[in-house]
Structures are given as C-alpha cells and as structure tokens.
Amino acid sequence: KRFGFPASILAKVVLAPLELHSWSIWLAMAYLPGSDLDGEDDAEPQHSDADDDWAASGPARGDLPGDLADFAFGGHGGGGGGGGGELDALCEDLHGLPVEDAEVEVRSFLRRTRGEVSEADVLGVLLMVFRADRDATLEGYEPWENSLGYCGRLTDICDANFVGNVNEEGRSTGSFPASIVGIVYAECGRTLFLAAELGPAREKLTKALSVFSLIPDGGDEAVKHQTASARSSLARVHRRCQRFQEALGQYLQALRLYVELDLRQALAGIITEWSETIVEAGPDDFSAAIPALLCELAVGAFGEGSDLHVQALKDIVEACVGVGQRWVAAEPLTVRARLLREEASGSSRGSRRPGTRQGPSAMLAAEAETAEEDAAEAWEEAVAQHLESRALEPAAAAWAEALKLREALNGPESELVVAMRSSLDALRQAAAAQAAAAEGEEGASTAEPQQETETEPRSAEAADSWEDLEDAEGAGAPVPNDAW
C-alpha cells in the first residue's frame, strides 16, 4: 500500500504463481474485514474517528473468525470442482457490474463449475467482487452507487439464510452461522459509513452487534475482535451524528473487549477517540470517574512510562481540560510530572529508561517543573470542588497531594508551604469532626430508614464493574471514583 498498489492486486500477484486455487483462500483475499477503514482517512481527514483499530499494528488486520474460511463456498475448503483461475477471471469480468447482473453471472458460473449452487457460494463470490468495487471507489475510480448496492444484496442473502430463521414447523431454514452474518453486516455498515450513509450504517452495525450477541460466550477471539471493531465503528457513526452519549457508551464497551484481547494499539486508539469525543460532547456528558478508570487501565495495559502510556495520559488530560474540569486530571497530571522528573534525573546522571527520550537535562528539568506546577494547580482546584460539596475528607487528601508538589516546587520551608501545612492540619481536623458527626447520626437512625436506604438506587460510589460504568455512561448519570 505504501507504493500505491491495492492489497487485492498484490495478493493475486503473489498467489498466482503458486496456483493456490482454494476457495477459502480466495474468500480470505477478497474479504479482509476492516480494510475499508484505511479509506476513512480519505473520507474524513479532519476527524481522528476516521482511523480504526484495524489500522494499528498488532494482530493481523485481516484476522477472521476461525470458521469463516471453512464456511467459504459451502464448507468446501479445498475447492475441488472448480477453478481458481476461472474464478479470478470471473471476478475481473464482474467488476463494475450492478450487483443484480453480477449475481446472475455468479450463479451461472457455479452451476457450470460445481454442478450446484449454494447460497454460501454465491455470498463468497459476491463478497470478492464487492471488495474489488469498494477498493476502486476508495481510490477514486468508481462512484459509491455500486458498492452500496452490494451492501443491500449481501445482507439480504444473510437475512434469507441465517441459521436462526425457522419455518412454521419450528425448523431452521438457514445455514449461515451468526459469526458469518455478523461479519457481513459489520463490513457493510463500515462501508456505508465511508459513503456518509449514516442512518443505514447505524442500522447495519447495530444488527451486526445483535447477531454477535447470539454467539455463546461471545465466540472465539477472532469473533470478539470483530465485535470490538463493530462497536468502535458504531461509536464513530454516533459521533458523526452528534449522538455523543451513545458514542461514549460504545467506546467503553469496545475498550472492555480490547482489554480482554490485549490489543494495545487498538486500545490506545480508542482512548484517544473517547477523549476527543468527550470534548465534542461537552461537560454535560462528562463523567468524572472515567478518566481515573482509563488511567488505571492504561498503566496496566501499556506499562508505566511507555510511549502508549504517556500518550494515553496526554489524551485523558486534554479531555478533562477540554470540558473545563482540569481538577479531574490531577492524578494523571501528577503521574506525568513524576515520569518527567524521573526522566530528567536519569538524564542528568547519564542514564535513562529504555524507550524514553534523550535530551539535555536542563530542558527535561524545566518540562518536569512545568508539569508539577500544572499538577499542583489541578489538585488545588480539586480541593475547591470538594469543599463546595462539603466533602472534607477528599478535600484534605487533595490538599495533601498539592502540598507534596508545592514542597518540591517552592521548597519545604517556603512561606507558601508552611501556610499550606497549617491549612492541611485544620482541614483534617474538620474532616475528622464531620466523620464523627456522620457516625453519630447513623447510629441514631432507625432500622426502617436504613432498609429504605438500602433499596434506593445505588449512588455513584456503589458502581464497581464495567456494566455499572456503561449503564451510567449511557444514561448520563454519575459514576464512581472506584469504578475500576
């Protein structure tokens, strides 16, 4: 691709001399899910939502569910009975034809070469032609009309042959498993998104996720990867439609899958997209617990101080600042300041951690000092937020963090630091008195009000799982600081 050659053509050049005429190989060549998302850069260069997790390094971009190759052409993986070379020529001939005309030719070809026509065979060949037409469209050689026609027909074939269909007698009338139907719907949804057909794209991607949900335990690793990709794509559709709550909810669910699959590049990309989306959404859709969750997730997935970890911290901080809530970013700002200080100290000693930058120690020290100042100010803003809500214990904890940073910046015996220590002592005393008063009130309360309290909806501090977090994000409700 770097030199401008479509992947499908290069694959044919490489495979043709080997005479690999396996039907499953041809389907895999023609149908690499997510490959269209490279073209999203061209479709919407001004948005980072144009980049998909498939474009990142990591597991192969064309990873398919394990049963897809076996499913190709009715499960005849060996393809005996009919002509890889002829199939290649057929696909070239069908390129650019409307899907209705192409399907007639495909059925005729399969009847002649295999003696029978199965709907799985038809789906496989049409997918190959669809891929070629879509590649040509993304490269600017064809209009979208033909590719969109394929989207409609491919999903119609899946609808008619889905294994979940039953007749009046209660018997299944289809043979397409959920994994295949879900993949085709997701691919068509992404294609519609590229064509700026946002309503149909949302419909196809939503149905893809509904079908994936029918697979026991979410399927194998490849199916979960497809599900995560579909959720990411649906989030982008919602984001483009300015349905920000729905977009943020889909991003969180995609994050959970990428954590489970250990797909670090994809995970980093989704954190970036979430951060950009929350800025676009504004403070009304901002949940103060999510940045803390993402910070903990990032250090666990990427390793503290790695490039991906530092980038994630930067994205999270920018999201908080972008919605006017810098105080929520106090923790990631502190971590970033500490990493910079350690890097500056290592540089001054002539050593540094693997993977970190090299640079003059004076410049690194100045950058670390600026980061420490930002972190201190964020903690001080957090104190004001907690005091406003009369949360004295969190306010004291935030003031203690600010004090540590001020000691490093201003010196332990500076006038400012001495005053801050005195204020911290007073704040801790007030917090202790508040806690004691709360305990007294609780002891004086009757058992009946306690039961009523227990049956009330759980407060923000009660959510402690991904599901709670997603429900709160989707509903625009507050979420806990200890959600992770």
Side-chain angles (χ1 to χ4, degrees), residues 205-215:
L205 288 165
T206 301
K207 186 163 185 177
L209 292 171
S210 297
V211 173
F212 283 137
S213 70
L214 300 176
I215 303 174

Side-chain angles (χ1 to χ4, degrees), residues 185-225:
Y185 260 92
E187 185 75 353
C188 291
R190 283 188 286 261
T191 301
L192 288 161
F193 173 64
L194 292 171
E197 298 287 340
L198 301 182
R202 184 171 62 247
E203 178 187 347
K204 301 296 186 191
L205 288 165
T206 301
K207 186 163 185 177
L209 292 171
S210 297
V211 173
F212 283 137
S213 70
L214 300 176
I215 303 174
D217 300 322
D220 60 17
E221 184 174 311
V223 172
K224 290 178 180 177
H225 196 168

Side-chain angles (χ1 to χ4, degrees), residues 138-296:
L138 292 172
E139 292 163 7
Y141 299 119
E142 301 285 349
W144 278 109
E145 181 179 1
N146 226 29
S147 295
L148 300 184
Y150 272 93
C151 289
R153 182 56 188 149
L154 289 170
T155 52
D156 285 347
I157 293 174
C158 288
D159 288 345
N161 295 277
F162 182 34
V163 72
N165 295 339
V166 294
N167 58 20
E168 294 179 355
E169 300 175 356
R171 296 180 180 178
S172 176
T173 59
S175 61
F176 289 14
S179 59
I180 302 302
V181 174
I183 290 171
V184 173
Y185 260 92
E187 185 75 353
C188 291
R190 283 188 286 261
T191 301
L192 288 161
F193 173 64
L194 292 171
E197 298 287 340
L198 301 182
R202 184 171 62 247
E203 178 187 347
K204 301 296 186 191
L205 288 165
T206 301
K207 186 163 185 177
L209 292 171
S210 297
V211 173
F212 283 137
S213 70
L214 300 176
I215 303 174
D217 300 322
D220 60 17
E221 184 174 311
V223 172
K224 290 178 180 177
H225 196 168
Q226 290 284 343
T227 304
S229 180
R231 288 202 178 280
S232 302
S233 297
L234 181 56
R236 296 180 186 106
V237 174
H238 286 315
R239 178 183 177 186
R240 196 73 60 81
C241 296
Q242 297 188 337
R243 299 162 62 101
F244 296 119
Q245 280 196 1
E246 291 89 340
L248 294 168
Q250 291 296 333
Y251 278 132
L252 284 179
Q253 294 188 62
L255 276 170
R256 179 174 62 178
L257 286 169
Y258 285 134
V259 170
E260 179 182 345
L261 295 169
D262 195 26
L263 298 177
R264 299 180 182 183
Q265 291 285 350
L267 180 60
I270 293 299
I271 291 175
T272 299
E273 290 188 45
W274 178 90
S275 301
E276 294 171 346
T277 304
I278 197 64
V279 173
E280 294 172 10
D284 291 343
D285 290 314
F286 181 74
S287 182
I290 306 296
L293 167 70
L294 296 181
C295 288
E296 192 164 347

